[in-house]
Amino acid sequence: MNIGNPPQKFAFVPQWPLNNTYVYDRDSPCATFDDPSQVWVNQTSNFCTTYRGGLYNQSASTSAVSATSVGVAGGAQIDNSSLGLTMYHTDIRIGHSSWVKDDLVVTSNVTLPHFPFAIPRMDWGMQYHSQAALGLGPNSTVLSALKFAGHIRSRTWSMFWGRAGATKATQLDGTFVLGGYDSAKVAGAPLTQNISTRNPNCLSGMLVNIENIQLNFPNGSDTSMFQGYQGNPFAACIEPDFPSLMTFLDFPYFQNFEIMTQQSYIGRSQGINYHNVLFSPETAYDGDLTIQLDSGLSVRIPNDQLVLPDLYIGANGQVMANNSVREIVVNPLNSTNTPDLPLLGRQFLTAAYAMVNLDANTFTLWQANPTTDERLVAVDTEGKELSADCSVTPSSSPSASPSASPSAISEPHSTSALDDNAKRLSTGAIAGIAVGGVVLLTLSICAFLLLARKRKRAAALKQQSVRPPTPPYGSRPPLGVQEMAGWNRRGELPANGGHWEMETQERPGELDVGDAYAMYKGRKLRPEHVVNRVYELGSP
């Protein structure tokens, strides 16, 4: 996604429960925790450009206007009250940010003029939530504006993280869709539940119960990590941008894992998949892992998505791989974190597909069908699919010219250059439009608009010759579908993983995988997923 005029490119990651959109600039804090020395270390500009998904330069944008507060900017006044959440202190975050209004270029055909952005002046996400944030909370300014302008029929988003392994054969672009979902990426019967507010620590409201976690060994045998605790499911929250497959209690679950696999972890990652456990390459687990929900949905994560090299961002902004260890993308909870609510993060969506409809107050899960096929389906405010869908055969996207590529690292780390395609992780689409960003890809267009209506609207715009009204970004849109005389613009979006090339002399490095996790979409090594194809579905 781009901001400003001339456009500055960014890699956003969807985040919950944020309602506003946050971007970083060169005055934003950029320090990471150095585990061996137990101190916070200020990082280089190249590192920060990659780590933050780009650095905003307000003075370089002719369309930027400073605002003295969130209210003046037109943003959402509260980021978390709708779910009663306090974990991330988002109201404090709003007050500790600078505010600006600038054009948000979602695609080449969709622009939100004078859109409100926050520029953080405190580090609230740490290494768990480090990138520019696209707020998809209950009063999301982005979703509200897109619906108000008629670009999407409902405030719906959906996500398949893609496959983010270490080699080309274990990678597949992901999909992030706004306004609907990609029916080609789902398999089996859907599980639909109401968004939950009963646990204030579930930021997304996607609360599920896990009744079993199985280790699937290469010899065909299966063993439960619930051994000794069968019949005692635990609640978990799906947080798609979280840099891990899942968190769970160290005892009994992780200790059972170590006993069953006959290995012991040797440390925690300080890199892109922050705080996941590290093992020796010689003894790392070589099987799969299956998560079973009490609803009957079963999701199996293959070993090439479960066990990865330890990825991190170098001082030069490049993504590096430390092959002297193996990282298993789970984050056991121990000590002071024992009371925390377990999470299912972005690697969960390598094998599952999630859709959230804020208007219907529901979320839906499927088993993921990892395929390059795309069939985008728009969803209305009641959760019903529209009568038509979009079938897209994606053309091969040009390889992104990475602004930085992995290179060797001196000892004590043993590193190797990553597979060229490992620098590009997953992409996304929007069932109305796409978001996120890391790799520049060619975007296909698919619309439900009839040609006659397009021509009629174009003629009306020509007669009016006026800029469409600025939508009320800080307010919730009406539930009914509105037809606006606004721009109908569609085009390219950044993909998940690495980051875009900025307008400055410095080039952002590439990220890994929620975002995702983004996003969210070519493939890159990044911590958040991304989106690469953009579609407008279900416009009136």
Side-chain angles (χ1 to χ4, degrees):
M1 298 176 73
N2 298 340
I3 299 175
N5 186 19
Q8 302 174 38
K9 299 172 183 177
F10 292 86
F12 285 88
V13 59
Q15 290 193 25
W16 300 265
L18 302 182
N19 294 316
N20 292 296
T21 295
Y22 290 78
V23 294
Y24 293 85
D25 65 11
R26 299 190 184 282
D27 294 326
S28 298
C30 184
T32 57
F33 188 69
D34 183 67
D35 189 62
S37 60
Q38 301 291 298
V39 296
W40 285 95
V41 178
N42 290 321
Q43 300 293 344
T44 66
S45 179
N46 286 337
F47 174 96
C48 294
T49 302
T50 300
Y51 183 67
R52 295 304 192 191
L55 298 176
Y56 178 60
N57 186 348
Q58 181 178 344
S59 63
S61 175
T62 59
S63 52
V65 178
S66 295
T68 56
S69 67
V70 59
V72 174
Q77 299 275 349
I78 298 176
D79 255 338
N80 64 359
S81 64
S82 296
L83 291 179
L85 302 168
T86 58
M87 176 184 290
Y88 279 50
H89 307 291
T90 48
D91 294 335
I92 297 176
R93 175 170 36 202
I94 287 176
H96 285 78
S97 295
S98 298
W99 288 84
V100 63
K101 293 187 290 183
D102 207 341
D103 292 350
L104 174 62
V105 183
V106 182
T107 78
S108 64
N109 288 351
V110 176
T111 294
L112 299 176
H114 311 305
F115 189 80
F117 296 93
I119 305 174
R121 298 302 177 212
M122 63 181 292
D123 193 345
W124 45 265
M126 301 174 60
Q127 283 135 297
Y128 287 115
H129 308 278
S130 62
Q131 277 186 259
L134 189 73
L136 295 179
N139 196 23
S140 167
T141 55
V142 168
L143 290 176
S144 297
L146 291 172
K147 182 182 174 185
F148 182 88
H151 297 304
I152 56 179
R153 291 289 295 269
S154 65
R155 294 179 306 129
T156 296
W157 62 264
S158 64
M159 184 176 182
F160 165 57
W161 187 258
R163 294 297 173 93
T167 64
K168 180 179 179 179
T170 61
Q171 297 162 16
L172 178 68
D173 288 350
T175 300
F176 190 88
V177 181
L178 296 180
Y181 74 103
D182 185 350
S183 64
K185 300 293 194 302
V186 306
L191 165 67
T192 299
Q193 298 180 192
N194 288 331
I195 295 173
S196 175
T197 59
R198 62 188 176 87
N199 192 319
N201 291 320
C202 184
L203 304 183
S204 67
M206 291 187 282
L207 196 64
V208 297
N209 289 319
I210 298 175
E211 69 174 11
N212 197 12
I213 303 173
Q214 281 192 334
L215 298 180
N216 313 116
F217 290 93
N219 64 6
S221 64
D222 298 328
T223 303
S224 174
M225 290 171 54
F226 275 51
Q227 195 170 93
Y229 293 86
Q230 289 89 344
N232 292 294
F234 62 82
C237 179
I238 301 173
E239 194 171 321
D241 68 306
F242 190 78
S244 183
L245 165 64
M246 66 186 308
T247 67
F248 46 62
L249 289 176
D250 178 82
F251 177 82
Y253 308 110
F254 185 65
Q255 290 187 27
N256 278 346
F257 172 84
E258 290 185 303
I259 293 171
M260 294 168 182
T261 60
Q262 298 181 355
Q263 58 181 308
S264 298
Y265 83 101
I266 58 176
R268 298 269 190 161
S269 173
Q270 300 300 306
I272 289 172
N273 296 314
Y274 181 67
H275 221 239
N276 292 323
V277 287
L278 302 176
F279 291 85
S280 167
E282 292 75 21
T283 61
Y285 176 57
D286 57 356
D288 299 345
L289 185 146
T290 298
I291 298 170
Q292 297 175 348
L293 306 184
D294 65 352
S295 61
L297 182 67
S298 180
V299 174
R300 180 163 176 160
I301 295 83
N303 183 266
D304 54 42
Q305 306 300 307
L306 178 67
V307 182
L308 304 172
D310 185 23
L311 306 176
Y312 63 98
I313 303 170
N316 59 2
Q318 299 176 1
V319 170
M320 316 295 285
N322 176 11
N323 283 314
S324 67
V325 294
R326 289 293 180 270
E327 177 180 350
I328 297 182
V329 288
V330 297
N331 185 342
L333 302 172
N334 50 27
S335 302
T336 58
N337 298 116
T338 298
D340 291 354
L341 176 68
L343 302 176
L344 291 169
R346 59 192 180 214
Q347 277 88 358
F348 178 70
L349 296 183
T350 64
Y353 191 104
M355 179 177 71
V356 172
N357 188 327
L358 294 176
D359 292 320
N361 197 44
T362 61
F363 71 94
T364 301
L365 297 175
W366 294 265
Q367 290 181 342
N369 177 36
T371 176
T372 56
D373 295 339
E374 291 175 348
R375 291 191 301 272
L376 301 183
V377 178
V379 174
D380 69 12
T381 57
E382 296 180 352
K384 298 177 181 178
E385 297 180 6
L386 299 189
S387 58
D389 71 354
C390 261
S391 296
V392 180
T393 301
S395 58
S396 58
S397 302
S399 297
S401 299
S403 44
S405 58
S407 59
I409 301 177
S410 60
E411 296 297 332
H413 297 296
S414 169
T415 64
S416 63
L418 299 176
D419 184 291
D420 181 64
N421 287 277
K423 294 175 291 189
R424 300 174 287 130
L425 282 188
S426 43
T427 62
I430 295 187
I433 40 190
V435 298
V438 174
V439 184
L440 179 61
L441 297 179
T442 301
L443 304 181
S444 305
I445 304 249
C446 178
F448 288 127
L449 300 179
L450 296 177
L451 180 59
R453 177 167 290 186
K454 287 184 178 178
R455 290 174 175 170
K456 180 179 179 182
R457 186 175 297 178
L461 284 175
K462 184 175 181 180
Q463 289 179 355
Q464 296 172 15
S465 297
V466 296
R467 188 182 181 97
T470 301
Y473 297 117
S475 61
R476 201 180 190 114
L479 294 181
V481 177
Q482 298 200 17
E483 180 170 341
M484 303 297 294
W487 300 343
N488 177 27
R489 304 168 61 175
R490 283 160 271 152
E492 297 183 2
L493 271 188
N496 236 9
H499 300 300
W500 292 76
E501 179 173 348
M502 305 297 292
E503 299 297 325
T504 61
Q505 294 298 314
E506 297 177 7
R507 300 163 65 89
E510 317 206 54
L511 281 182
D512 75 319
V513 92
D515 102 65
Y517 78 166
M519 22 197 300
Y520 359 252
K521 318 265 98 338
R523 302 184 199 94
K524 286 195 161 196
L525 293 171
R526 47 149 276 175
E528 288 18 33
H529 241 43
V530 198
V531 176
N532 80 334
R533 296 185 183 82
V534 177
Y535 307 90
E536 180 172 331
L537 301 184
S539 296

